[in-house]
Amino acid sequence: MAYQTLKQEYLNMPPVTRAYTTACVITSLAVQLELTSPFQLYFNPILIYKGQIWRLITTFLFFGTFGFNFFFNMIFTYRYCRMLEEGSFRNRTSDFVTMFLFGGGLMIAIGFSVNLLFLGQAFTIMLVYIWSRRNPFFRMNFFGLVNFQAPYLPWALLSFSVLLGNTVYIDLIGIVVGHIYYFIEDVFPNQRGGFRILKTPTILKTIFDNHTDDPDYVPLPEERPGGFDWGQNRQDENQAPPQQEDRQ
């Protein structure tokens, strides 16, 4: 029964989220089983120049060996990636892939000038940042200690990451890249004289958008935004106020 539930949940994931999270889990599993080594995966400009192009991708896929950090990052990657794909990018898979390419490309450009090894955590923070700016009125609860609105979530995660002993500038890169994408997609085009800077390539639209929705597809429930399967909706006679999420 548990296997069937897990299988159904996996099949219900939207395609980009399913592909990315699967690649992350397989990469970490391969390292855990000693089928490969982190030394073959990390971002290294010199080795990339020598032809080890796969490092441009694997730097985003390795979140460490199985442990608290791995599961913590994977849960956030899965949840916020899925909510973006099912929310503001619903039926716009090509635009979602463009966001992936833009964010990853910008992080790689930064990586050539800064000593970085793995960019998966920064990529997760970027996803969280973009979701939080597009859902500014959601109320969050951080481990039952602090209540705040969604835009403060990336900073809460950065603070928690520092407490875990992680390097702060990795999360800062994710926040900076996320804000750049948010600005050029959601802010600048709506200004006087503004226009869309980031255009989705036609080839991506042809590959990803030339399809109809699967009638058996079950989207992520909107009443559970923002992270884990926690929290409840609060209803009002006139309107539904911001939703509350509890992290335990």
Side-chain angles (χ1 to χ4, degrees):
M1 179 64 70
Y3 170 76
Q4 291 297 330
T5 302
L6 183 62
K7 178 181 177 181
Q8 188 62 35
E9 179 68 15
Y10 179 76
L11 295 177
N12 284 338
M13 294 167 62
V16 177
T17 300
R18 182 167 61 239
Y20 181 56
T21 54
T22 299
C24 292
V25 171
I26 289 177
T27 300
S28 294
L29 182 62
V31 173
Q32 190 77 29
L33 297 176
E34 297 184 353
L35 299 176
T36 186
S37 165
F39 295 105
Q40 298 175 299
L41 307 175
Y42 76 97
F43 185 85
N44 186 314
I46 296 177
L47 296 178
I48 291 172
Y49 285 134
K50 292 182 178 181
Q52 297 185 16
I53 306 298
W54 66 83
R55 294 178 184 271
L56 295 173
I57 299 175
T58 56
T59 185
F60 294 102
L61 302 181
F62 183 63
F63 285 83
T65 54
F66 294 157
F68 178 78
N69 270 342
F70 171 80
F71 290 108
F72 182 83
N73 280 294
M74 285 310 305
I75 288 173
F76 272 84
T77 299
Y78 157 70
R79 293 289 295 185
Y80 288 96
C81 187
R82 181 171 181 175
M83 283 189 293
L84 275 175
E85 189 170 1
E86 293 181 344
S88 57
F89 288 98
R90 180 70 171 168
N91 295 327
R92 296 195 300 126
T93 304
S94 62
D95 293 339
F96 194 51
V97 173
T98 300
M99 184 204 73
F100 263 59
L101 296 177
F102 173 82
L106 192 53
M107 289 180 190
I108 287 173
I110 295 173
F112 277 106
S113 58
V114 179
N115 184 25
L116 299 173
L117 298 179
F118 293 101
L119 295 168
Q121 183 174 324
F123 196 82
T124 296
I125 294 296
M126 180 196 76
L127 296 173
V128 172
Y129 185 90
I130 295 171
W131 177 88
S132 69
R133 295 307 296 262
R134 290 185 170 182
N135 298 270
F137 300 112
F138 281 114
R139 294 290 298 174
M140 318 290 293
N141 185 286
F142 197 71
F143 284 113
L145 300 175
V146 182
N147 294 308
F148 51 85
Q149 289 181 297
Y152 294 101
L153 178 60
W155 302 101
L157 293 179
L158 184 148
S159 301
F160 186 67
S161 182
V162 172
L163 291 177
L164 292 178
N166 296 325
T167 306
V168 65
Y169 65 82
I170 294 292
D171 288 15
L172 284 176
I173 288 174
I175 290 174
V176 169
V177 173
H179 184 74
I180 291 174
Y181 179 84
Y182 167 74
F183 179 81
I184 66 175
E185 276 292 290
D186 296 4
V187 178
F188 181 72
N190 296 318
Q191 308 243 336
R192 184 186 295 267
F195 56 92
R196 286 200 65 188
I197 298 175
L198 189 61
K199 302 291 181 74
T200 300
T202 303
I203 187 172
L204 292 182
K205 292 183 178 180
T206 302
I207 295 173
F208 294 104
D209 292 346
N210 188 24
H211 60 80
T212 57
D213 284 345
D214 184 352
D216 296 325
Y217 177 74
V218 179
L220 193 68
E222 288 296 330
E223 68 271 19
R224 292 183 290 139
F228 304 90
D229 186 11
W230 300 321
Q232 295 180 346
N233 284 348
R234 294 176 298 176
Q235 300 296 329
D236 187 87
E237 292 181 359
N238 299 320
Q239 64 179 18
Q243 295 167 317
Q244 178 77 27
E245 177 193 37
D246 293 323
R247 296 189 55 190
Q248 298 177 352

